[in-house]
């Protein structure tokens, strides 16, 4: 696609044209046209550069959020005490794990992150999806997980929180979760999407639960058991080392300002998930160059990125690729579900959660049981996308160029997909061709754009302006990472 010519703002071009070869005014002139057009598009799409407006964002420095952070880093929330939330969602790894497919319990070296994290007995990865970032978790309004199996049912404009705590008589329909039949209300889901979500990694066998700790219990009884173990009040005597229990007891007493309350009323699964969600919701990373640009700082991004933005926001036929049709708003997602034909690598969700014996991950259909939802996955936010790879719901793409090219021509890209790009050992690719064959008939209406290498470069340059510099800066991320001296936390090694 040709760069935008100066037709929109001729006057500055003419004015500066004479001097242009000798000065930077050439760029000012070219960009004036670009800026003019981009700001028109920015207005058309209602962008404000402020994705967190009207959101309550917990402050990472407050004691409750700090306790939530320690829980997020504690392996004691996993059945075998060998995996923490942070094992798959580490702030220094972009709020995820840098793996195509996450590795949960049953690892050789629990403290390892990234490619060094491998399952015992040479097992292939068992989790069938890529871990999305927890960064900006507070910004989701409608649902969580890539198939939206946590979904807000609350009436009203902003569905991300339910002040009514999920009680319908107070006017809220709360959240639906995998603990209930879709789309019923789960009355135990808690007060916001992140809290409703946090209840599930704990009980997924491949992620944190494992097979050994009270395997007979249902989800709800199992969560209570975990809380009892953490608080050292399990009547059947499951316990952690005393120093560990005392550490958590003291921490909860302090945060809830309850020196004398029975510990069973403080270290509960509801409080644990509430604290976890506060920590996740404190991870707001939206101070990026693009938002500065949207707010009027025309020098915040390069000309190349501006060209990329035009390609992103313009419609097909008007010089762009219409990425905005799905990656909408300041949060870069419509929170809807679409089939983009991401190459089906890895074990299938269907193998585990759905009765069907073999087949590809059916995405949204596994939740709604509607055939039209087959192979649809939620549109990801693109904020900080530079640091959240590998990309796609199963991490099939290991470069940003690769996923962008896929978005431009999903069908041809999927058919030409090269699994040798995967860096993680053991990712299942045996059924790739057959599974892709099964997906093709459902991928109707996908575009096949003509594009140049320059287009890809410009789109990637634009996507990189969505990175908040903090997420690449260990010093800036420090408040979100517990100090090494804390007991009972994962001490992640070898990666940094
Ligand atoms: C074994 C790795 C692993 C562990 C441990 C883990 N997660 Fe995740 N997490 C994932 C994967 C994979 C997904 C995506 C699953 C899906 O979409 O079906 C996910 C999804 C999420 C999401 C949804 C994000 C979104 O964009 O919808 C949140 C929030 C989250 N996890 C928080 C947590 C918390 C809190 C814990 C600890 C209680 C935790 N995770 C433990 C791998 C993990
Ligand atoms: C029809 C809706 C739609 C359009 C149009 C669209 N996307 Fe996407 N995009 C999605 C969905 C859905 C996914 C996730 C697909 C999956 O994982 O199965 C996605 C994934 C991505 C990802 C990977 C993000 C991650 O965290 O893994 C990037 C990058 C991306 N899109 C960029 C673009 C660009 C650039 C364009 C325009 C050329 C574009 N998209 C057009 C819906 C769309």
């Amino acid at each position: 696609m040709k760069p935008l010519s100066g037709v929109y703002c001729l006057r500055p071009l003419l004015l500066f044209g004479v001097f242009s070869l000798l000065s930077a005014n050439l760029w000012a002139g070219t960009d004036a046209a670009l800026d003019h057009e981009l700001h028109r598009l920015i207005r058309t799409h209602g962008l404000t550069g402020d994705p967190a407006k009207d959101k309550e964002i917990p402050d990472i420095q407050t004691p409750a959020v700090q306790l939530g952070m320690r829980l997020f880093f504690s392996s004691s929330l996993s059945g075998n005490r060998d995996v923490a939330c942070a094992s798959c969602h580490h702030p220094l790894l972009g709020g995820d794990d840098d793996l195509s497919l996450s590795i949960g319990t049953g690892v050789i070296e629990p403290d390892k992150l990234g490619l060094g994290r491998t399952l015992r007995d040479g097992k292939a990865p068992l989790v069938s999806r890529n871990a999305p970032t927890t960064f900006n978790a507070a910004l989701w309004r409608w649902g969580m997980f890539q198939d939206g199996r946590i979904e807000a049912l609350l009436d009203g404009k902003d569905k991300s929180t339910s002040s009514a705590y999920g009680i319908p008589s107070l006017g809220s329909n709360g959240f639906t979760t995998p603990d209930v039949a879709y789309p019923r209300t789960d009355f135990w889901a808690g007060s916001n999407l992140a809290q409703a979500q946090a209840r599930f990694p704990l009980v997924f066998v491949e992620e944190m639960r494992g097979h050994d700790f009270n395997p007979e219990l249902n989800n709800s009884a199992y969560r209570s058991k975990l809380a009892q173990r953490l608080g050292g009040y399990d009547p059947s005597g499951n316990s952690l080392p005393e120093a560990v229990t005392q550490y958590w007891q003291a921490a909860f007493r302090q945060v809830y300002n309850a020196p004398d309350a029975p510990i069973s009323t403080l270290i509960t699964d509801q409080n644990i998930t509430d604290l976890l969600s506060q920590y996740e919701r404190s991870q707001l990373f939206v101070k990026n160059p693009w938002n500065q640009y949207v707010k009027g700082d025309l020098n915040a991004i390069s000309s190349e990125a501006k060209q990329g933005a035009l390609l992103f926001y313009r419609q097909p036929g008007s010089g762009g690729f219409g990425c905005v049709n799905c990656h909408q708003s300041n949060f870069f997602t419509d929170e809807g579900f679409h089939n983009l034909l991401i190459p089906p690598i890895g074990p299938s969700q269907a193998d585990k959660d759905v009765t069907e014996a073999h087949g590809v991950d059916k995405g949204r259909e596994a939740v709604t049981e509607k055939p039209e939802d087959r192979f649809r996955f939620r549109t990801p936010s693109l904020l900080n996308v530079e640091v959240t790879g590998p990309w796609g719901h199963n991490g099939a793409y290991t470069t940003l160029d690769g996923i962008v090219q896929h978005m431009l021509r999903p069908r041809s890209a999927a058919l030409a997909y090269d699994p040798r790009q995967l860096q993680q050992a053991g990712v299942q690719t045996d059924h790739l061709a057959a599974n892709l064959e099964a997906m093709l008939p459902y991928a109707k209406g996908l575009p096949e754009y003509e594009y140049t290498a320059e287009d890809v470069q410009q789109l990637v340059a634009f996507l990189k302006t969505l990175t908040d510099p903090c997420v690449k800066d260990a010093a800036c991320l420090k408040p979100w990472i517990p100090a090494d001296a804390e007991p009972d936390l994962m001490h992640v090694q070898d990666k940094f």
Side-chain angles (χ1 to χ4, degrees):
M1 204 143 295
K2 284 198 210 108
L4 181 80
S5 62
V7 286
Y8 290 92
C9 293
L10 266 183
R11 196 176 291 176
L13 267 185
L14 291 177
L15 256 175
F16 296 124
V18 182
F19 306 103
S20 60
L21 286 176
L22 298 172
S23 71
N25 283 337
L26 170 69
W27 304 112
T30 313
D31 273 11
L34 259 175
D35 292 334
H36 183 91
E37 169 67 349
L38 255 183
H39 274 275
R40 189 187 64 77
L41 287 163
I42 283 166
R43 281 191 303 277
T44 306
H45 291 290
L47 304 183
T48 62
D50 189 6
K53 192 167 179 284
D54 301 330
K55 289 281 182 186
E56 246 175 69
I57 304 296
D59 178 350
I60 183 62
Q61 305 295 356
T62 57
V65 183
Q66 286 284 309
L67 179 53
M69 172 181 75
R70 288 186 232 136
L71 290 165
F72 195 85
F73 277 77
S74 172
S75 54
S76 290
L77 292 185
S78 63
N80 299 323
R81 299 187 69 209
D82 62 350
V83 52
C85 306
S87 307
C88 302
H89 298 285
H90 200 288
L92 291 176
L93 299 182
D96 56 69
D97 53 9
D98 275 9
L99 295 170
S100 287
L101 299 173
S102 289
I103 303 280
T105 184
V107 282
I108 301 172
E109 291 174 84
D111 280 352
K112 280 203 173 165
L113 286 188
L115 292 173
R117 193 173 171 82
T118 47
L119 291 173
R120 282 197 296 269
D121 309 322
K123 274 198 204 136
L126 297 166
V127 176
S128 61
R129 292 187 185 154
N130 178 261
T133 185
T134 51
F135 291 171
N136 301 323
L139 302 186
W140 292 104
R141 297 174 57 199
W142 308 99
M144 277 200 166
F145 286 128
Q146 305 186 70
D147 53 15
R149 61 197 188 279
I150 307 281
E151 194 181 325
L153 302 169
L154 187 70
D155 291 327
K157 230 165 96 195
D158 186 336
K159 301 197 169 196
S160 61
T161 55
S162 155
S163 51
Y165 209 76
I167 300 167
S169 58
L170 296 179
S172 148
N173 292 324
F175 304 96
T176 188
T177 76
D179 272 357
V180 294
Y182 180 85
R184 295 242 172 91
T185 301
D186 179 351
F187 293 109
W188 295 99
S191 57
N192 61 62
L193 280 172
Q195 183 178 9
Q197 192 283 337
R199 299 165 61 71
F200 291 91
L202 303 173
V203 298
F204 293 152
V205 169
E206 287 83 9
E207 289 192 358
M208 296 180 81
R209 179 166 177 164
H211 292 281
D212 305 321
F213 182 60
N214 295 282
E216 72 291 352
L217 297 181
N218 67 21
N219 285 355
S220 135
Y222 174 82
R223 291 187 195 101
S224 304
K225 201 56 142 180
L226 266 187
Q228 289 170 2
R229 186 178 71 172
L230 196 74
Y233 64 91
D234 185 345
S236 56
N238 289 299
S239 62
L240 303 177
E242 207 175 303
V244 170
T245 308
Q246 280 171 1
Y247 165 76
W248 291 115
Q249 289 183 352
F252 274 75
R253 287 198 183 289
Q254 200 178 12
V255 162
Y256 290 98
N257 194 16
D260 304 318
I263 204 68
S264 60
T265 63
L266 298 177
I267 305 189
T268 62
D269 65 324
Q270 283 291 337
N271 283 349
I272 291 169
T273 51
D274 174 44
L275 293 163
L276 286 171
S277 76
Q278 290 194 48
Y279 168 67
E280 293 178 284
R281 293 166 53 82
S282 78
Q283 296 183 330
L284 184 75
F285 297 109
V286 299
K287 287 194 185 133
N288 60 45
W290 169 251
N291 283 337
Q292 276 170 261
Y293 179 79
V294 169
K295 288 178 177 168
D297 176 358
L298 300 182
N299 296 316
I301 67 174
S302 69
S303 303
E304 189 183 36
K306 291 175 191 176
Q307 296 286 0
L310 277 188
L311 298 177
F312 191 93
Y313 284 105
R314 284 177 155 177
Q315 290 304 320
S318 306
F321 300 119
C323 311
V324 65
N325 296 338
C326 302
H327 296 287
Q328 286 168 12
S329 85
N330 296 302
F331 192 33
F332 288 86
T333 168
D334 58 1
E335 297 196 40
F337 300 87
H338 309 272
N339 177 3
L340 267 291
L341 212 57
I342 297 293
I345 58 162
S348 154
Q349 190 77 3
D351 288 340
K352 300 190 303 269
D353 288 351
V354 185
T355 44
E356 201 166 295
H358 287 288
V360 278
D361 187 339
K362 286 193 192 155
R364 182 70 174 155
E365 186 192 11
V367 180
T368 63
E369 292 176 10
K370 290 185 186 155
E372 65 265 30
D373 284 335
R374 183 161 301 181
F375 305 131
R376 287 186 180 167
F377 292 87
R378 187 190 61 186
T379 310
S381 165
L382 299 176
L383 295 180
N384 302 306
V385 68
E386 180 186 2
V387 299
T388 62
W391 296 272
H393 66 263
N394 52 13
Y397 285 99
T398 52
T399 66
L400 209 42
D401 285 37
I403 183 80
V404 166
Q405 288 176 48
H406 180 102
M407 288 289 139
L408 292 165
R409 309 192 68 169
R411 193 186 169 94
S412 347
L415 290 168
Y417 175 74
D418 184 356
R420 283 174 305 182
Q421 69 186 276
L422 297 170
Q423 288 159 2
Q424 184 178 4
V427 172
Q428 246 258 38
T429 56
D430 300 351
H431 304 297
L432 177 58
N435 285 345
L436 186 57
E437 196 65 29
M439 288 176 80
L440 284 173
Y442 295 88
K444 296 207 179 80
L446 285 174
E448 285 278 304
Y449 296 121
E450 295 296 331
Y451 65 87
T452 65
E454 197 185 20
D455 294 336
V456 176
Q457 212 177 314
Q458 291 172 345
L459 281 167
V460 168
F462 167 61
L463 292 179
K464 287 184 177 172
T465 68
L466 307 181
T467 306
D468 181 332
C470 188
V471 304
K472 289 167 112 182
D473 178 352
C476 185
L477 288 173
K478 213 170 161 203
W480 284 272
I481 300 167
D484 253 1
E486 302 280 352
D488 198 39
L489 307 188
M490 304 290 288
H491 296 292
V492 288
Q493 300 170 351
D494 280 1
K495 181 68 202 181
F496 312 110

